[in-house]
């Protein structure tokens, strides 16, 4: 029996687990109900379990029957602050929370990989660490788990790490995709408060109006991108929140906006926030206004190790067929805290199409209407398990 056929045999159970998780979405670092459901799903497996001290994480170590290295497999567990409108029969039972990014599939798939590998424990040349992670959506759960020791949970440093992410659009169901080098962007948040003196809208010369200056900052940031950074090492800045004033004839005291900054190399990620702050301060000074501006880096770029990428691509092609793997031409501008792991451990991350319809028209991840075909769970679990088995074999050989 192959891992793929064994995964097909437990598919119905994985689908049931995924749908249970979908009904009880939890947001952030503390997911007590999700944690308990996953622990119940792992019950009876020959695993060494550790729970997070400051977050609802689960670290499960499977000891192989033969000596060797350590491979880490990761699945994130948290949901998004989105009110579900997917129409699924197993829709979220909580208003304002939804598994709109497919993390319920990631969790169920990692449970599947644990079951597959536990059944082959005696054949494994080394150990497998299963990283069940909360707080991927903006809470740096991976960073917290690293601080709590997930990368040395087996008693020695992890030798290789792998993870996958389902896609509600972009790729046809069952299609795997990745690329060598930078796969996903670094991210950070710029928070700006422009402070002036309010007054009557009919007499702006008697006030210090923060709104035009804040608007100028928004456009100046876009000019900064093209005049400061190489077009072949791109930067994306989007102002997603802008608030000022209460009525048309009132000049407010302040204007506030927040922006997300994305970049694709560590060098640019280290510079872009400082440069954005300088631009905003300069515009404020030119208008005679005060300003509070801070840049908070979030995640570094997600970078696939070249050899690990080749290993993943070759494994997908061998197990599922040449046509099931796509090499992506360019990175995507989304960010991912698995980048923290790949900063420290050679490894690779890839995508798995889970679109139940036409990827060209389907709602994408994070949409309240996002839907995922959970029939891909078997292949996702089988691939994670196959990567662990093959990589441990290479480490031992």
């Amino acid at each position: 029996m192959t891992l793929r056929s064994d995964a097909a045999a437990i598919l119905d159970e994985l689908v049931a687990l995924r749908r249970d998780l979908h009904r009880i979405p939890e947001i952030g670092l503390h997911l007590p109900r999700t944690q308990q459901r996953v622990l119940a799903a792992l019950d009876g497996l020959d695993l060494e379990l550790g729970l997070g001290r400051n977050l609802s994480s689960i670290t499960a170590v499977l000891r192989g029957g033969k000596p060797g290295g350590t491979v880490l497999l990761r699945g994130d567990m948290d949901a998004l602050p989105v009110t579900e409108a997917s129409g699924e029969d197993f829709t979220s039972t909580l208003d304002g929370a939804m598994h709109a990014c497919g993390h319920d599939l990631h969790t169920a798939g990692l449970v599947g990989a644990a079951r597959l590998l536990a059944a082959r424990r005696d054949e494994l040349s080394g150990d497998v660490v299963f990283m069940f992670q909360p707080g991927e959506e903006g809470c740096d759960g991976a960073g917290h788990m690293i601080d709590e020791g997930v990368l040395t949970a087996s008693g020695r440093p992890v030798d290789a790490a792998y993870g996958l992410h389902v896609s509600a659009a972009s790729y046809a169901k069952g299609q795997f995709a990745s690329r060598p080098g930078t796969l996903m962007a670094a991210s950070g948040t710029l928070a700006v408060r422009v402070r002036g003196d309010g007054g009557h809208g009919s007499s702006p010369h008697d006030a210090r109006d923060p709104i035009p200056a804040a608007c100028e900052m928004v456009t100046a940031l876009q000019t900064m991108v093209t005049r400061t950074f190489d077009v072949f090492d791109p930067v994306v800045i989007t102002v997603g929140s802008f608030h000022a004033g209460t009525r048309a004839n009132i000049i407010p005291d302040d204007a506030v906006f927040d922006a997300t900054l994305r970049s694709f190399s560590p060098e640019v990620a280290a510079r872009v926030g400082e440069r954005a702050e300088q631009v905003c301060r300069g515009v404020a000074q030119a208008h005679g206004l005060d300003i509070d501006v801070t840049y908070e880096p979030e995640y570094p770029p997600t970078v696939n190790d070249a050899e690990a990428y080749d290993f993943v691509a070759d494994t997908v092609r061998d197990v599922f067929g040449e046509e099931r793997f796509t090499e992506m031409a360019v990175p995507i501008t989304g960010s991912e805290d698995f980048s923290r792991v790949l900063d420290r451990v050679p490894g690779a991350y890839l995508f798995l199409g889970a679109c139940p319809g036409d990827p060209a028209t389907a709602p994408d991840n994070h949409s309240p209407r996002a839907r995922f075909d959970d029939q891909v769970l078997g292949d996702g679990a089988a691939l994670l398990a196959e990567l662990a088995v093959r990589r441990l074999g290479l480490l031992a050989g």
Side-chain angles (χ1 to χ4, degrees):
M1 298 291 286
T2 65
L3 284 165
R4 189 176 178 189
S5 62
D6 286 354
I10 62 171
L11 175 60
D12 289 347
E13 296 166 58
L14 300 183
V15 169
L17 171 59
R18 178 258 165 157
R19 295 184 180 190
D20 283 350
L21 295 171
H22 193 88
R23 293 184 183 98
I24 56 164
E26 295 177 289
I27 300 165
L29 294 171
H30 302 288
L31 321 175
R33 292 193 298 174
T34 302
Q35 185 186 57
Q36 289 305 309
R37 184 64 185 88
V38 173
L39 288 171
L42 297 174
D43 188 44
L45 301 182
D46 190 11
L47 301 171
E48 298 172 10
L49 298 174
L51 306 185
R53 297 186 297 275
N54 298 306
L55 68 169
S56 299
S57 61
I58 303 170
T59 300
V61 179
L62 176 64
R63 300 291 182 187
K66 305 171 187 176
T70 301
V71 169
L72 180 144
L73 304 175
R74 180 267 209 159
D76 39 4
M77 303 189 294
D78 56 319
L80 284 160
V82 172
T83 297
E84 184 159 5
S86 69
E88 296 283 21
D89 294 339
F90 48 92
T91 190
S92 169
T93 58
L94 301 175
D95 288 338
M98 176 190 174
H99 271 296
C101 202
H103 295 188
D104 48 341
L105 280 83
H106 302 169
T107 304
L110 189 57
V111 168
R115 290 186 57 179
L116 295 172
L117 291 169
R120 287 169 165 76
R121 176 186 173 281
D122 292 343
E123 305 167 23
L124 296 178
S125 300
D127 304 328
V128 182
V129 175
F130 301 95
M131 178 182 178
F132 290 93
Q133 179 209 309
E136 188 278 331
E137 297 288 355
C139 298
D140 198 10
H144 288 284
M145 288 193 72
I146 290 170
D147 289 342
E148 293 195 357
V150 69
L151 298 184
T152 54
S154 70
R156 51 160 293 160
V158 168
D159 296 291
Y162 306 101
L164 63 79
H165 201 302
V166 293
S167 175
S170 303
Y171 301 103
K173 182 177 76 171
Q175 191 71 17
F176 294 94
S178 190
R179 70 187 308 274
T182 301
L183 177 70
M184 301 179 73
S187 63
T189 299
L190 184 74
V192 179
R193 180 179 294 273
V194 184
R195 295 185 286 113
D197 290 311
H200 201 289
S202 66
S203 305
H205 59 286
D206 290 329
R208 291 193 304 151
D209 191 346
I211 293 180
C215 292
E216 187 174 326
M217 291 173 197
V218 172
T219 56
L221 287 169
Q222 303 304 322
T223 303
M224 175 206 78
V225 169
T226 60
R227 297 301 182 270
T228 306
F229 298 100
D230 189 335
V231 67
F232 295 106
D233 194 355
V235 171
V236 175
I237 298 180
T238 296
V239 175
S241 173
F242 191 113
H243 301 279
T246 56
R247 294 186 61 180
N249 64 345
I250 301 173
I251 294 172
D253 276 342
D254 55 21
V256 178
F257 68 88
D258 297 307
T260 185
L261 281 63
R262 307 294 171 115
S263 54
F264 296 91
S265 69
E267 296 77 18
V268 170
R271 293 173 52 214
V272 65
E274 180 182 1
R275 185 68 184 118
E277 287 185 5
Q278 290 172 351
V279 166
C280 293
R281 294 186 193 281
V283 172
Q285 183 179 20
H287 285 265
L289 299 167
D290 299 315
I291 188 171
D292 301 319
V293 54
T294 58
Y295 175 73
E296 291 293 336
E298 293 171 341
Y299 304 144
T302 303
V303 181
N304 283 337
D305 176 81
E307 290 185 5
Y309 165 80
D310 288 339
F311 168 70
V312 167
D314 290 344
T315 301
V316 173
R317 293 179 178 122
D318 184 46
V319 174
F320 299 101
E322 186 77 27
E323 72 285 354
R324 290 279 299 274
F325 187 81
T326 298
E327 181 168 320
M328 299 161 58
V330 295
I332 67 169
T333 49
S335 60
E336 165 61 64
D337 70 354
F338 193 61
S339 58
R340 302 283 193 206
V341 176
L342 296 183
D343 261 3
R344 295 163 173 81
V345 180
Y349 199 61
L350 73 163
F351 298 99
L352 171 58
C355 180
D358 182 357
T361 58
D364 209 344
N365 293 38
H366 287 218
S367 166
R369 292 168 295 281
R371 297 174 64 241
F372 301 86
D373 192 325
D374 45 25
Q375 296 302 301
V376 304
L377 279 169
D379 284 353
L383 178 63
L384 289 174
E386 194 76 57
L387 291 171
V389 170
R390 294 187 181 206
R391 186 66 182 127
L392 287 174
L394 290 172
L395 290 167

